[in-house]
C-alpha cells in the first residue's frame, strides 16, 4: 500500500481524543446505557464466580483456606487431567440463555452508539438524542439483519479461536468492520437483503487490506486499558467506553476515505 494511504494508530487516537474533549458531556451521555451494562456484567459475573468457588469448597473470605483448596485442585488436575471437567464452571441452560441475551443486547446498544458517533463525525451539526440513538439498532431497519450478522460474526470468531488463537484474531480483524459496512450499504440502497448481510463480511475483509496492523495495535491498547479498568471495578468505563467507540468510528471513517481515494 502506498505510504500516502497509510493510517497511523497515533493519528486515530489523537482524533478520537479531540472528538471526546470537544463534547465530553454528550459523549458520556450517549454511552450511559453501555456503561451501566458494564457495571451489571461485573456485578453478576462476580455472583457467578462466587457461586462457582463455593461449589468447589473454596472460601473466598478465608485467603489461607482458599489457597490450600486451590492448590489441592491444581494438584488433582495435574495428577489426573480427566478430573478437570468436574472443576470447570458450568452454567444452567437458563443462565446460558441469559448470558447470550445480555451479550446480544450489549452489542446492539454499542452498534447504535457507534452509528451515532459515525454520523456525528460526518455531520458535526448532527443533534444527538442519547436514548433514541442508543436503541436505533433495535428498529425495523436494522434489527433482523443485525441479529443475523451478530450470530454469523460470533460463529466466525468462535470457529477461529477453536482452530487456535491466531485464526481467531485474524477473523476478528478482517470482519471487524461488518457493522459499519452494513450501515453504509443500507443507507446507500435504502433497504437490506439477506445477500447484503452476507456481503458485508466480504466487503469488510476487502476494506481491511493494509490496515490490519493499525487495527491490531488499537485493540492491544484497549486490552491493556481494560485490564486497568478491571482494577477500578469498571469506574474507568465512564471515559473508556466513549473513547473506544470514538476510536473505532474514526478508524472506519479514515479507512473508508482512503479506499475511496484509491
Amino acid at each position: 500500500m502506498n505510504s500516502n494511504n497509510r493510517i497511523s494508530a497515533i493519528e486515530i487516537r489523537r482524533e478520537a481524543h479531540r472528538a471526546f474533549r470537544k463534547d465530553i458531556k454528550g459523549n458520556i451521555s450517549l454511552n450511559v446505557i453501555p456503561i451501566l451494562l458494564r457495571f451489571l456484567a461485573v456485578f453478576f459475573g462476580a455472583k457467578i464466580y462466587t457461586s462457582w468457588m463455593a461449589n468447589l469448597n473454596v472460601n473466598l473470605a478465608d485467603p489461607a483456606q482458599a489457597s490450600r483448596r486451590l492448590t489441592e485442585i491444581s494438584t488433582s488436575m495435574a495428577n489426573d487431567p480427566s478430573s478437570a471437567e468436574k472443576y470447570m464452571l458450568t452454567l444452567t441452560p437458563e443462565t446460558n440463555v441469559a448470558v447470550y441475551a445480555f451479550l446480544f443486547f450489549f452489542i446492539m446498544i454499542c452498534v447504535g452508539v457507534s452509528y451515532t458517533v459515525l454520523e456525528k463525525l460526518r455531520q458535526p451539526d448532527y443533534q444527538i438524542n442519547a436514548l433514541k440513538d442508543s436503541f436505533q439498532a433495535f428498529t425495523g431497519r436494522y434489527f433482523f439483519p443485525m441479529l443475523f450478522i451478530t450470530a454469523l460474526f460470533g460463529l466466525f470468531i468462535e470457529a477461529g479461536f477453536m482452530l487456535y488463537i491466531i485464526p481467531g484474531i485474524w477473523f476478528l480483524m478482517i470482519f471487524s468492520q461488518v457493522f459499519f459496512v452494513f450501515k453504509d450499504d443500507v443507507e446507500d440502497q435504502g433497504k437490506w437483503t439477506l445477500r447484503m448481510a452476507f456481503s458485508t463480511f466480504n466487503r469488510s475483509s476487502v476494506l481491511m487490506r493494509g490496515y490490519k496492523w493499525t487495527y491490531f495495535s488499537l485493540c492491544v491498547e484497549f486490552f491493556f486499558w481494560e485490564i486497568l479498568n478491571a482494577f477500578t471495578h469498571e469506574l474507568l468505563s465512564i471515559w473508556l467506553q466513549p473513547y473506544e467507540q470514538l476510536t473505532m468510528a474514526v478508524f472506519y471513517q479514515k479507512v473508508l476515505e482512503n479506499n475511496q481515494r484509491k
Side-chain angles (χ1 to χ4, degrees), residues 174-190:
I174 65 174
F175 298 140
S176 61
Q177 307 305 303
V178 290
F179 297 105
F180 284 124
V181 169
F182 182 75
K183 168 184 164 52
D184 283 341
D185 284 351
V186 169
E187 290 187 352
D188 288 342
Q189 300 188 28

Side-chain angles (χ1 to χ4, degrees):
M1 186 174 62
N2 189 302
S3 61
N4 293 328
N5 291 324
R6 288 189 182 135
I7 300 173
S8 71
I10 294 175
E11 176 187 357
I12 293 170
R13 293 186 194 108
R14 286 174 179 169
E15 186 163 333
H17 279 298
R18 281 197 299 269
F20 180 76
R21 291 195 300 268
K22 189 175 181 179
D23 186 11
I24 295 175
K25 183 179 178 181
N27 282 304
I28 292 177
S29 64
L30 180 62
N31 285 272
V32 163
I33 295 176
I35 290 171
L36 291 176
L37 290 174
R38 278 172 168 257
F39 281 106
L40 281 175
V42 170
F43 176 77
F44 287 108
K47 289 278 188 182
I48 292 172
Y49 177 75
T50 302
S51 176
W52 177 36
M53 289 294 102
N55 290 335
L56 295 179
N57 296 318
V58 176
N59 184 3
L60 296 175
D62 184 352
Q65 188 276 340
S67 178
R68 287 195 302 272
R69 179 56 182 155
L70 290 173
T71 300
E72 291 173 3
I73 293 172
S74 298
T75 303
S76 174
M77 290 191 295
N79 295 331
D80 181 12
S82 63
S83 68
E85 186 174 346
K86 69 179 181 180
Y87 298 119
M88 292 176 63
L89 173 64
T90 56
L91 301 176
T92 63
E94 295 80 5
T95 303
N96 270 318
V97 170
V99 168
Y100 280 109
F102 180 88
L103 285 173
F104 175 70
F105 183 74
F106 180 76
I107 290 171
M108 293 289 280
I109 290 293
C110 287
V111 167
V113 170
S114 65
Y115 283 3
T116 305
V117 171
L118 187 61
E119 284 297 325
K120 187 68 175 176
L121 289 172
R122 292 172 173 176
Q123 306 175 43
D125 295 332
Y126 179 84
Q127 296 298 312
I128 294 176
N129 183 322
L131 186 61
K132 180 181 177 181
D133 289 339
S134 296
F135 282 93
Q136 65 175 296
F138 290 92
T139 61
R141 187 182 195 189
Y142 294 119
F143 181 76
F144 291 107
M146 281 298 168
L147 183 63
F148 174 77
I149 290 172
T150 301
L152 195 57
F153 182 80
L155 286 174
F156 277 126
I157 302 305
E158 186 174 351
F161 279 109
M162 286 177 66
L163 292 172
Y164 291 114
I165 293 176
I166 293 178
I169 295 174
W170 183 260
F171 285 156
L172 176 63
M173 289 192 295
I174 65 174
F175 298 140
S176 61
Q177 307 305 303
V178 290
F179 297 105
F180 284 124
V181 169
F182 182 75
K183 168 184 164 52
D184 283 341
D185 284 351
V186 169
E187 290 187 352
D188 288 342
Q189 300 188 28
K191 61 179 181 179
W192 72 271
T193 63
L194 195 60
R195 183 177 180 181
M196 185 193 300
F198 270 110
S199 70
T200 57
F201 287 87
N202 179 60
R203 282 171 46 75
S204 175
S205 65
V206 171
L207 195 69
M208 287 295 289
R209 289 174 183 169
Y211 303 100
K212 297 180 189 70
W213 177 250
T214 301
Y215 184 82
F216 179 74
S217 64
L218 292 172
C219 289
V220 170
E221 179 194 6
F222 292 153
F223 175 74
F224 286 109
W225 275 118
E226 291 292 355
I227 291 176
L228 180 61
N229 190 26
F231 287 105
T232 70
H233 300 286
E234 290 294 325
L235 288 175
L236 190 61
S237 294
I238 296 172
W239 167 80
L240 185 58
Q241 177 67 28
Y243 170 64
E244 289 179 349
Q245 296 278 29
L246 280 164
T247 301
M248 288 308 176
V250 170
F251 174 82
Y252 172 75
Q253 185 61 25
K254 286 191 172 294
V255 169
L256 186 66
E257 290 171 354
N258 271 13
N259 276 271
Q260 289 173 344
R261 282 197 292 269
K262 289 190 291 183

